Amino acid sequence: MYEAGKAARRRQVMREYNINLLGLSETRWLQAGQKRLASGELLLYAGREEENAAQTEGGAMMLSRTAQRVRTGWEGHGTGIITAAFTTKTKHIEINGYQ
């Protein structure tokens, strides 16, 4: 994900296979945060906490617009660990992602 064009390729795969939530490993971003792509998808990411750390690890979740509408919360927990909660019409879903 650190190289140009990788996010666009992942977005293309999501749309091609009708995927609303895609887990990504080795994103190589520092700390935890979120970034909205120009195409509308949202990246939730978690990496090393230290600002000057080597960019060698990390994990992320790419959410479609549909998944963003039902997301109720998320947290990044250190290197590549993300928890996210979603609510649908029938139930509450919690997802834990680990690198």
Side-chain angles (χ1 to χ4, degrees), residues 7-68:
R9 176 65 186 131
R10 301 308 179 265
R11 176 184 51 82
Q12 181 181 2
V13 168
M14 285 180 68
R15 290 184 178 179
E16 189 175 312
Y17 291 98
N18 196 27
I19 297 170
N20 288 310
L21 175 66
L22 182 64
L24 305 166
S25 64
E26 296 186 25
T27 55
R28 301 173 191 251
W29 290 343
L30 298 177
Q31 301 180 335
Q34 60 184 27
K35 180 176 179 156
R36 184 168 308 279
L37 302 178
S39 57
E41 285 80 12
L42 182 68
L43 283 171
L44 307 175
Y45 62 89
R48 288 188 176 258
E49 294 293 325
E50 307 86 29
E51 289 185 26
N52 59 353
Q55 295 176 325
T56 58
E57 301 172 358
M61 290 183 183
M62 185 180 285
L63 283 67
S64 69
R65 291 180 182 173
T66 301
Q68 292 173 52

